[in-house]
Amino acid sequence: MESYLNEKFAGVKPKHSLEEVLQRWRDACRLVKNPKRRFRFTANIQKRNEAAAMRRANQDLRVAVLVSKVAIHLLNGAEASSHVVPDEFKANGFGVNADDAGAIVEGHDPEKLKLYGGVDGLAAKLKTCTTNGLAMDDKELTCRQQLYGTNEFVEREQRSFWVFVFEALQDMTLMVLAVCAFVSLIVGIATEGWPMGAHDGLGIVASILLVVFVTATSDYRQSLQFRDLDKEKKKISIQVTRNGYRQKLSIYELLPGDIVHLAIGDQVPADGLFLSGFAVSIDESSLTGESEPVKVNTENPYLMSGTKVQDGSCKMLVVTVGMRTQWGKLMATLSEGGNDETPLQVKLNGVATIIGKIGLVFAVVTFAVLVQKLFASKIIEGSQWSWSGDDALMLLEYFAIAVTIVVVAVPEGLPLAVTLSLAFAMKKMMNDKALVRNLAACETMGSATTICSDKTGTLTTNHMTVVKSCICMNVSNQAALDIPEGAKKILIQSIFTNTGGEVVVSKDGIREILGSPTDTAILEFGLSLGGDFQTERGSTKVIRVEPFNSTKKQMGVVLELPEGGVRAHCKGASEIVLAACDKVINENGEVVTLDDELLSYLKSTIDTLAGEALRTLCLAYMDLESDVSADTPIPSSGYTCIGIVGIKDPVRPGVKESVALCRSAGITVRMVTGDNINTAKAIARECGILTDDGIAIEGPDFREKTMEELLEIIPKIQVMARSSPLDKHTLVKHLRTTFGEVVAVTGDGTNDAPALHEADIGLAMGIAGTEVAKESADVIILDDNFSTIVTVAKWGRSVYVNIQKFVQFQLTVNIVALIVNFTSACLTGTAPLTAVQLLWVNMIMDTLGALALATEPPNDELMKRAPVGRKGNFISNVMWRNIFGQAVYQFAVIWLLQSKGKSFFSLDGDDSDLILNTLIFNSFVFCQLFNEKHTIDDTISEKEELAI
């Protein structure tokens, strides 16, 4: 069985499986009882190919647009005269209709944009202000929605319950049994009359209907769960200026005319036009398949829905929403493509196929044996040429038994039990603050042997406050310092201009700070110094911005000062920014050379703050020549150090206990952070991650190691500080490929996407994470809490064990039922389990058994076992012992019947009911017992031995 599974069903990965691999296992499962049900939760390869073709068409369209721009320019005059605004748009004060506005962005048409007066002119025709956004009441909002549409995409209609009933009826074997029931009714009534002659036929019909309705109910409930989870996956919020206030809105509330604020890692929520911003680079691969990023600026202002902000930040005017966008049309096709099937689903499809073929052989042989026995008895009686209605009914009963053996033998419910268990786990994990995006992540997380976790926001609370600082060479525990006036002015300017955050006033007049936790902490520090955000931002003109990213570990801005002159500000990792400084502001507010003594003092201060588990940032500035432009790179050296701030980010409650739980479960936790190594080590010790025999290493040192050195140190690495995204990716790749670990990785930034993609399970942060990181992840941790990751691991193990129980239960019943009926048919010429009873067994297994065994919640005992790892055997030796024990038990029941005077060759209906009940009940009990203490090495406890 293993070799067959490896040949036909291997190669399917938890994610990113090749199309040929997906097609190969489908080809191996062509002969199934009910393809509609078997392949319901698998990817639709045809629809995916259609989506890929649509992406290629988008790319071809882009080329065609570029080629045709000259012709459009020549026809400019004619187009201007033919432009017409429909009456319903005019009546409500709009100067452009939805289709014409959409054509500007979709066609990347500068000439058409110019016809409307450029971006500002188009904004006026959309009745919006590029500064304050849309100003409207509920009536105007409704009117705009009716004319321009909403930012929602067409989804597949939720199928009704009766559709699932119809699909359950598509089972070929049930159809054959229905025909048998009909014939049995006709012959039975003709020979025995009503109602005696109708018992068998009506019994089969009732059993079929019961199986169909129970199956349909189970499947319908699963579909509702998946629909709810899909809704959760699509919840994306974006920063919008509307009615003069910056606020967070769902992307589905956006309308043409809204002003959207985009930052690195965001997904563009609608088609729109660039208003203002810096160094914006857009990844359009999701829409066009083109991997090369596109620069967006005033010359190329077109922003397409569904694309990702790879770098920079900007303000965007929303022009087109929903199904009028290319992304909306693509999403309609993508939604029909479905999710990838999981490796476990594929493996169990293989098991179902193998056992189905075995069952078919058993059914044919059983039917042949029963018919042979009937013919033999008639030959002995000399009545082989005389056939009665009873004989016809007997043949029909034999045929029904053979068909029903196929019904029971083919474990159609195996792959669906996986889906049921995964859906149940996904729903429960949502309550535990974990949103599963990739179905396979549920089962893969149960095998995890390593978790590579970020520090900030995952192990810590992400509620940051400046608690210590060294400004003008003076270290203080207080946020408010006695700083020389000139230095204080430069410090406040640095804080309020070189930031990704913003200080705004809400509708209620309450001051709010928007931005990352780090930006928020620094802005609070600036406000405590008496600074005014709006005044400072209004007094300078921004020439260039280089946003923070994980590679540079710093951000910068170039300003045109009100008194004339140009200044650059830099903020980032203390060691990196300090290394770019050659001067410093001293305690008197004077700029002096940064000599070795002062440099040593600042480095010592950084180490001291880091040793107290504080996150350190260095702020610096540099006056430039006045001839710099927006294209001039920000200098990398020659700065003057303003000071260093120490930010407190406390460890989350419960993290230390969660790390200890992981260790007891055989899961190694590693911290991978961009912070200072001393800060990282202090936090790691507090969390229980860094032990005496563990290694803490910095990213630059890690990069310099040879392959031989990496092989030696990687298993011992517990902390990696000052790491780049490439360092994280390299670590994850080696752990997976070289050491065979099953790796879970957390990430929140755009640059974490490669590591999340490489990992077996990518975990993105729901609060601090960017949309790019979430898109690359398999699970989104909604509360950014490490303890939630441990909960996901526990649910993963629960899924694995639950499905294992169900597989053992179903295969035990299948194989033992086959053996009992086949043996009895060969020895006695009759089958102790009738068609109706076998259908009852089938219903118990496929639906009620799955509900009972595949939906059991996790318990603490699961985290006391070693992880299954990459090569754990799902169908274990314990299962075959279970089958053997159950077979022995069934024959023991028959022996008990014999001891009461019952002959094996004369069992009646009550006796077969007893055999049936013990078969189901004891299979259930056995698989519970065998999984209670089951470990990876398949050892059996004394309790289990006693059970056998």
Side-chain angles (χ1 to χ4, degrees):
M1 183 182 283
E2 284 294 329
S3 61
Y4 179 81
L5 289 175
N6 290 334
E7 178 189 351
K8 299 291 185 182
F9 300 91
V12 177
K13 301 175 183 176
K15 52 186 181 180
H16 318 306
S17 292
L18 297 174
E19 185 179 312
E20 309 88 77
V21 175
L22 297 179
Q23 189 61 51
R24 186 173 68 222
W25 81 261
R26 284 167 172 74
D27 293 338
C29 289
R30 284 197 183 279
L31 187 63
V32 297
K33 292 195 303 177
N34 190 343
K36 280 187 176 292
R37 190 163 183 255
R38 175 77 78 89
F39 300 116
R40 180 182 295 138
F41 296 106
T42 56
N44 188 325
I45 296 175
Q46 181 183 348
K47 289 294 181 183
R48 291 189 173 190
N49 290 335
E50 289 177 15
M54 192 175 288
R55 285 194 181 96
R56 288 192 296 272
N58 289 338
Q59 194 170 2
D60 294 340
L61 176 65
R62 193 67 46 81
V63 174
V65 166
L66 293 172
V67 171
S68 63
K69 279 185 179 177
V70 176
I72 291 173
H73 181 71
L74 294 173
L75 296 171
N76 185 14
E79 182 151 351
S81 61
S82 65
H83 171 63
V84 178
V85 179
D87 293 339
E88 63 268 26
F89 285 85
K90 277 184 181 177
N92 288 284
F94 296 108
V96 61
N97 66 39
D99 291 333
D100 286 343
I104 296 172
V105 180
E106 185 176 332
H108 285 47
D109 192 343
E111 299 300 331
K112 200 164 190 177
L113 180 59
K114 196 180 293 182
L115 290 177
Y116 288 98
V119 177
D120 290 332
L122 185 61
K125 293 183 184 299
L126 288 169
K127 290 174 59 180
T128 189
C129 170
T130 56
T131 304
N132 295 324
L134 290 174
M136 57 185 179
D137 55 22
D138 291 342
K139 182 180 177 182
E140 290 172 329
L141 185 146
T142 303
C143 172
R144 194 175 289 261
Q145 287 176 333
Q146 290 173 345
L147 292 175
Y148 289 96
T150 58
N151 199 32
E152 295 176 340
F153 307 122
V154 172
E155 297 180 359
R156 286 181 295 177
E157 283 187 28
Q158 173 62 33
R159 296 186 296 178
S160 72
F161 170 74
W162 297 107
V163 173
F164 289 93
V165 171
F166 176 75
E167 288 188 356
L169 283 167
Q170 301 304 300
D171 191 316
M172 185 59 66
T173 51
L174 291 184
M175 292 180 189
V176 174
L177 282 177
V179 173
C180 291
F182 178 74
V183 175
S184 177
L185 275 173
I186 299 299
V187 176
I189 293 173
T191 56
E192 298 182 39
W194 179 269
M196 289 299 296
H199 286 171
D200 288 344
L202 290 178
I204 294 175
V205 169
S207 299
I208 290 172
L209 291 176
L210 188 60
V211 167
V212 165
F213 277 95
V214 173
T215 300
T217 302
S218 175
D219 292 348
Y220 180 63
R221 290 186 62 191
Q222 279 187 53
S223 72
L224 293 179
Q225 284 187 326
F226 277 114
R227 186 182 66 174
D228 293 342
L229 289 166
D230 282 339
K231 285 181 181 178
E232 290 294 331
K233 291 179 191 177
K234 294 171 184 174
K235 286 184 178 178
I236 302 173
S237 296
I238 199 81
Q239 291 285 338
V240 179
T241 296
R242 187 184 281 187
N243 293 320
Y245 297 100
R246 185 162 167 175
Q247 52 197 288
K248 187 176 281 190
L249 293 178
S250 165
I251 62 169
Y252 302 111
E253 297 178 53
L254 290 181
L255 292 168
D258 268 321
I259 306 302
V260 173
H261 300 261
L262 297 173
I264 184 170
D266 283 342
Q267 177 175 306
V268 180
D271 283 1
L273 295 168
F274 175 91
L275 288 172
S276 62
F278 301 94
V280 179
S281 181
I282 300 292
D283 175 12
E284 295 189 347
S285 60
S286 58
L287 191 62
T288 66
E290 180 59 54
S291 58
E292 192 66 28
V294 176
K295 299 292 182 185
V296 174
N297 45 43
T298 51
E299 285 74 35
N300 180 39
Y302 311 103
L303 289 154
M304 304 291 286
S305 177
T307 58
K308 311 292 191 307
V309 182
Q310 197 173 71
D311 203 0
S313 60
C314 70
K315 280 183 9 179
M316 178 187 90
L317 169 67
V318 175
V319 175
T320 316
V321 294
M323 292 306 296
R324 295 181 188 275
T325 67
Q326 279 297 315
W327 181 247
K329 296 164 190 171
L330 180 62
M331 282 294 288
T333 306
L334 281 175
S335 65
E336 295 178 9
N339 295 317
D340 278 353
E341 50 269 26
T342 74
L344 202 50
Q345 282 175 315
V346 174
K347 197 167 190 176
L348 292 184
N349 264 295
V351 172
T353 301
I354 295 168
I355 295 177
K357 291 176 180 177
I358 295 170
L360 186 60
V361 172
F362 267 80
V364 171
V365 173
T366 301
F367 180 69
V369 169
L370 291 173
V371 171
Q372 182 269 332
K373 293 281 187 182
L374 177 61
F375 269 90
S377 64
K378 290 188 74 65
I379 289 171
I380 292 170
E381 294 169 3
S383 59
Q384 66 269 29
W385 305 113
S386 174
W387 291 81
S388 64
D390 288 339
D391 294 328
L393 281 176
M394 187 69 71
L395 280 173
L396 193 64
E397 173 67 14
Y398 291 163
F399 181 70
I401 288 171
V403 173
T404 312
I405 283 175
V406 176
V407 175
V408 177
V410 179
E412 199 85 344
L414 279 183
L416 292 169
V418 179
T419 310
L420 174 62
S421 189
L422 294 177
F424 174 76
M426 288 168 74
K427 188 75 173 176
K428 292 296 183 180
M429 279 195 271
M430 266 298 299
N431 300 332
D432 290 336
K433 304 297 182 186
L435 172 61
V436 178
R437 296 185 71 256
N438 177 13
L439 202 62
C442 289
E443 66 187 49
T444 311
M445 195 65 194
S447 308
T449 58
T450 291
I451 298 175
C452 295
S453 174
D454 283 338
K455 176 185 75 68
T456 306
T458 307
L459 298 169
T460 60
T461 61
N462 220 13
H463 296 148
M464 301 189 187
T465 312
V466 176
V467 294
K468 274 193 176 183
S469 60
C470 177
I471 308 296
C472 301
M473 304 300 292
N474 283 327
V475 178
S476 172
N477 290 326
Q478 302 298 321
L481 303 169
D482 184 15
I483 307 171
E485 197 58 37
K488 187 175 183 179
K489 184 178 179 181
I490 294 173
L491 174 62
I492 289 174
Q493 185 183 76
S494 177
I495 289 172
F496 289 143
T497 59
N498 189 24
T499 179
E502 193 172 351
V503 181
V504 299
V505 178
S506 69
K507 293 180 182 178
D508 303 324
I510 300 171
R511 185 174 69 187
E512 292 182 4
I513 301 176
L514 305 175
S516 70
T518 305
D519 281 328
T520 300
I522 300 292
L523 289 172
E524 283 180 346
F525 179 46
L527 293 171
S528 72
L529 294 173
D532 184 279
F533 180 84
Q534 301 299 342
T535 302
E536 201 62 50
R537 292 292 283 261
S539 65
T540 58
K541 178 185 176 183
V542 177
I543 299 174
R544 181 180 174 87
V545 173
E546 289 186 1
F548 178 87
N549 68 47
S550 303
T551 304
K552 298 181 296 183
K553 301 198 183 301
Q554 62 186 37
M555 67 179 296
V557 64
V558 178
L559 308 172
E560 186 179 304
L561 302 177
E563 63 272 14
V566 177
R567 179 173 292 162
H569 285 282
C570 180
K571 175 183 74 180
S574 299
E575 307 95 305
I576 294 172
V577 175
L578 187 59
C581 296
D582 55 16
K583 294 180 284 294
V584 66
I585 302 177
N586 66 14
E587 61 271 14
N588 300 318
E590 301 166 344
V591 176
V592 298
T593 302
L594 184 60
D595 57 27
D596 290 344
E597 184 181 350
L598 295 175
L599 182 61
S600 177
Y601 175 78
L602 289 173
K603 286 183 176 179
S604 174
T605 301
I606 292 170
D607 289 341
T608 301
L609 296 178
E612 296 173 16
L614 300 182
R615 188 178 190 187
T616 62
L617 293 177
C618 182
L619 288 76
Y621 80 99
M622 177 184 185
D623 288 322
L624 305 172
E625 299 294 328
S626 57
D627 60 348
V628 299
S629 69
D631 297 325
T632 307
I634 297 177
S636 58
S637 61
Y639 286 93
T640 300
C641 177
I642 304 169
I644 296 158
V645 294
I647 302 174
K648 181 70 175 176
D649 186 11
V651 172
R652 285 184 182 271
V655 165
K656 188 171 184 178
E657 292 78 6
S658 295
V659 171
L661 185 61
C662 283
R663 186 168 283 117
S664 68
I667 303 172
T668 303
V669 180
R670 293 175 166 89
M671 178 196 288
V672 184
T673 179
D675 265 354
N676 176 287
I677 191 165
N678 292 323
T679 305
K681 285 162 72 174
I683 294 289
R685 287 196 183 95
E686 190 175 345
C687 295
I689 293 173
L690 185 59
T691 59
D692 294 338
D693 57 348
I695 293 176
I697 192 171
E698 288 188 313
D701 295 336
F702 179 77
R703 275 169 246 152
E704 297 298 320
K705 299 293 183 184
T706 65
M707 182 56 69
E708 291 75 17
E709 290 172 324
L710 287 177
L711 293 176
E712 183 181 347
I713 68 167
I714 283 178
K716 300 175 185 176
I717 291 177
Q718 293 176 339
V719 175
M720 185 185 287
R722 288 293 179 233
S723 67
S724 69
L726 183 59
D727 297 330
K728 183 187 279 191
H729 181 270
T730 303
L731 176 64
V732 172
K733 189 172 183 180
H734 278 301
L735 285 170
R736 287 187 69 246
T737 58
T738 309
F739 296 95
E741 303 268 5
V742 178
V743 185
V745 172
T746 70
D748 53 15
T750 303
N751 291 326
D752 287 328
L756 292 172
H757 189 276
E758 174 68 29
D760 294 287
I761 312 103
L763 304 160
M765 300 298 107
I767 300 171
T770 63
E771 288 306 318
V772 172
K774 292 175 187 176
E775 194 76 19
S776 301
D778 305 296
V779 180
I780 298 173
I781 306 301
L782 299 175
D783 60 357
D784 291 14
N785 193 339
F786 181 81
S787 298
T788 304
I789 298 172
V790 179
T791 303
V792 173
K794 188 187 291 185
W795 269 107
R797 292 190 174 196
S798 177
V799 165
Y800 193 90
V801 169
N802 287 349
I803 297 171
Q804 197 172 41
K805 285 180 182 179
F806 178 72
V807 170
Q808 293 180 11
F809 168 63
Q810 183 154 44
L811 294 187
T812 300
V813 175
N814 280 354
I815 294 172
V816 174
L818 284 177
I819 292 171
V820 168
N821 256 22
F822 177 72
T823 306
S824 177
C826 292
L827 295 177
T828 70
T830 61
L833 298 177
T834 66
V836 172
Q837 290 170 327
L838 286 171
L839 282 172
W840 176 252
V841 171
N842 186 66
M843 187 191 72
I844 292 291
M845 289 190 306
D846 268 9
T847 52
L848 303 181
L851 284 170
L853 290 171
T855 59
E856 192 173 337
N859 56 66
D860 293 337
E861 292 297 317
L862 291 172
M863 297 303 282
K864 295 178 182 177
R865 303 177 181 180
V868 174
R870 196 173 294 282
K871 297 181 180 178
N873 288 325
F874 187 80
I875 302 175
S876 63
N877 294 333
V878 175
M879 190 200 74
W880 300 116
R881 293 177 181 134
N882 187 5
I883 293 170
F884 173 74
Q886 184 57 229
V888 171
Y889 197 94
Q890 289 306 126
F891 285 109
V893 170
I894 296 171
W895 177 81
L896 285 173
L897 291 171
Q898 284 184 300
S899 69
K900 293 182 178 181
K902 298 276 189 176
S903 168
F904 181 81
F905 303 99
S906 60
L907 300 178
D908 58 26
D910 292 336
D911 302 327
S912 59
D913 283 340
L914 176 60
I915 296 171
L916 170 73
N917 292 332
T918 55
L919 172 63
I920 294 172
F921 176 75
N922 290 296
S923 296
F924 192 89
V925 171
F926 265 67
C927 69
Q928 289 282 12
L929 285 173
F930 282 125
N931 278 279
E932 190 170 322
K933 300 288 184 182
H934 180 50
T935 57
I936 191 166
D937 59 356
D938 284 335
T939 55
I940 301 179
S941 67
E942 291 181 6
K943 182 178 180 180
E944 292 164 351
E945 288 178 352
L946 182 62
I948 292 176

